[in-house]
Amino acid sequence: MTKTTPGIETLAVHAGTAPDPTTGARITPIYQTTAYVFKDADQAANRFALAEPGNIYGRITNPTQAVLEEKVAALEGGTAALATASGHAAEFLTFHTLMEAGENFVAGRQLYGGSINQFSNAFKSFDWQVRWADSEDPQSFEKQIDDKTRAIFIESFANPGGIVVDIEAIAKIAHAHGVPVIVDNTLATPYLLRPIEYGADIVIHSLTKFIGGHGNSMGGLLVDGGTFDWGKSGHYKKLTEPRPDYAGLVIYEATGNAAFATAARVLGMRDFGPTISPFNAFLILTGAETLPLRMQKHSDNALAVAQYLEKHEKVSWVNYAGLPDNKYHKLQQRYAPKGAGSVFTFGVKGGYEAGVKFASSLKLFSLLANIGDTRSLVIHPASTTHRQLTDSQKIAAGAGPDVVRLSIGIEDIKDIIGDIEQALNQI
Ligand SMILES: *Cc1c(COP(=O)(O)O)cnc(C)c1O
C-alpha cells in the first residue's frame, strides 16, 4: 500500500487526536492536573534530565495541550510545536530562544499593533533590538541585516489586513545571511497558506483568532519547521551550548529537528511560565477541527463583501487581496489561491464622522477589538484602537480617519451585506 499524506481537512479532524489511551474516550479529555506521578525515583531523575520523555509538571507539559501542539504542527507541516497562553507569549518565547542581549532582529513594519508594541517597548528591557523593514519590499530586509541579526519576522497576511507578503523572497535573503525566518500566520492560517513550504523556519499563531475560531479562549503557539541548522553559526547559544541545568545536554544535538520547540519549552516556558490552560487547549482543539470549513466560508464571504463595497457610492477604496485589481492579488493567487482570508479594510467617504457613524450603525456586526470569530466584527481604528495617535501617525499605521476594518464571519452572506447596506445608508 502506498502512503499518502492526508489532506488538510483530514489533519484538522484527526492529527494528534487518537482515542484516549487509558479510558478509550474518543475526544481528548481535559487533563485538569498540575503534576504527574513518577513510577520511581529513577524515572523522575531521567525525566528531569530530559533523558526520558514524559510529564513532570503542568507548566512544561500537559496531555491536552500536547494534542493541540501535535495537531497544529501537522497542519503547518512542522516537526514540533509549543502552545502558550496567548499569541504574544508565543512571540516572546520565540525571541527568548533566539536572542541574547545586544542582538537584533528585522521585522516587517506591517504588523499586528500589539506586536509593534511588544517589539519596540517591552523587548527593550532585554536589549533585543527591533529594526524595521517594509513587508512589501524584500530588499529592505537585507539592508537592515548585520552580524548581530538573529531572525527576520513577518506576517503572511499582514496587518491591518489586505497585504500578502512575499515569504519566499524574504526567506531567500534571510537564509543567505544565515538567519531563520519567523512567520506570524494568524490571519492566513495553514488552511490558506503554509509558510514552511515557502522557506519559513518558525511559524507562530495567535490561536485566539481563527484556529480557535469562536472568540472564547486566549491561546498561542509556535511551530518548529525543523528546517534550520542551529549549529552552523554558533549564534544560537541556548540551542548549542551545553546546558548546566540539564547535566550538560546540548539541546540541538539531543533533540534534532525539534530543537527549537524543545528549547522554547524547557528553557523559556520553564522560566517564564505563560502556560495555556488545559480547558483553553480543549476549546481550541474543538475549534481547530472545523478550521478548513470556516476559513473557506470566511474567505468566500469576505470576497463577496469586498465586491459589494467596491461598487458602493459611499465607499472610496477597498483593500482586499482577493479582488482582481488589488495590488496584492498576484501574490494572493500564488500563496493562498483558496482565498484571501476574512480581514480587510476599506474607506468610507466623509472621513472620521462617517467611519464612526458606519461602525456604530451596524447591528449584526459586533463593534470590538478582535478578529477571527465566527461572528462578523468591525472596528473603526481612528476612534478606538488608534485613538491616542496624531492624525499623521494614524495614517502611517493604516488607521486614517476614514478606515474601517472588518473581520467577516460565517453568517449568511445576504444578512452580512444587508447589515452593511443599512449602516451605509445611515451616513
Ligand atoms: C491577536 C494577534 C496576535 C497576538 O495574539 P494574542 O493571542 O492576542 O496574544 C499576534 N499576531 C496577530 C496577527 C494577531 O492577530
Side-chain angles (χ1 to χ4, degrees), residues 85-89 91 111-112 114-115 153 155 157 159 184-187 204-209 218-220 370-371:
S86 68
H88 266 11
E91 292 172 77
L111 294 183
Y112 174 69
S115 301
F153 185 96
E155 290 180 0
F157 285 3
N159 266 284
D184 180 340
N185 200 31
T186 299
L187 291 191
I204 70 124
H205 276 286
S206 169
L207 301 173
T208 314
K209 315 293 170 52
M218 299 297 297
N370 192 21
I371 55 168

Side-chain angles (χ1 to χ4, degrees), residues 76 156 185-194 205 210-211 291 295:
E76 287 288 5
S156 47
N185 200 31
T186 299
L187 291 191
T189 82
Y191 173 71
L192 295 176
L193 194 166
R194 304 199 329 153
H205 276 286
F210 294 101
I211 291 186
L291 176 73
M295 283 317 288

